[in-house]
């Protein structure tokens, strides 16, 4: 992209790597985790509920990045207090599985 900094390019490369490996993850395991941890706020088909955002249609890169940021404790927005404790419990494999499930809904 024109005008991108080196940091942005490196960050994009790192998340692209994580998302590119989506074939290695298990959407069925991701569905189980999603239904347990995410469904109440994001809805059963990840289309969002009330003030909770729609996840379906987002890129794997974006979803992985956001979950990793929440997991690290970064304050992102008004829903951070709800997301951070849930994301903190997720392993890299859990994130990959949940993202594989969400992107399978498209």
């Amino acid at each position: 992209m024109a005008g991108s900094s080196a940091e942005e390019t490196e960050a994009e490369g790192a998340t692209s790597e994580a998302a590119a490996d989506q074939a290695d993850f298990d959407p069925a395991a991701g569905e189980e985790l999603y239904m347990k941890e995410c469904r109440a706020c994001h809805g059963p088909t990840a289309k969002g509920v009330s003030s909770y955002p729609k996840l379906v249609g987002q890129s794997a890169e974006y979803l992985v990045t956001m979950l990793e940021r929440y997991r690290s404790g970064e304050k992102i927005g008004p829903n951070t207090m709800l997301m951070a404790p849930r994301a903190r419990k997720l392993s890299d494999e859990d994130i990959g599985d949940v993202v594989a499930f969400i992107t399978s809904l498209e």
Side-chain angles (χ1 to χ4, degrees), residues 10-97:
E10 287 175 24
E12 287 171 7
T15 41
S16 295
E17 235 176 82
D21 294 335
Q22 286 303 298
D24 296 337
F25 294 104
D26 182 359
E31 179 178 16
E32 186 176 323
L33 187 56
Y34 179 90
M35 293 302 171
K36 179 181 174 192
E37 296 291 333
C38 312
R39 177 181 67 174
C41 295
H42 294 286
T45 57
K47 292 183 180 171
V49 176
S50 187
S51 68
Y52 304 104
K54 173 181 152 181
L55 302 176
V56 71
Q58 297 289 353
S59 71
E61 292 92 347
Y62 173 80
L63 295 169
V64 167
T65 298
M66 293 305 289
L67 285 169
E68 288 175 344
R69 288 174 65 191
Y70 280 122
R71 182 174 65 182
S72 75
E74 181 179 339
K75 182 163 174 45
I76 297 170
N79 293 329
T80 298
M81 288 180 53
L82 296 169
M83 283 296 301
R86 286 170 175 76
R88 228 175 269 124
K89 298 186 283 186
L90 299 176
S91 67
D92 288 347
E93 184 173 352
D94 290 338
I95 289 174
D97 289 347

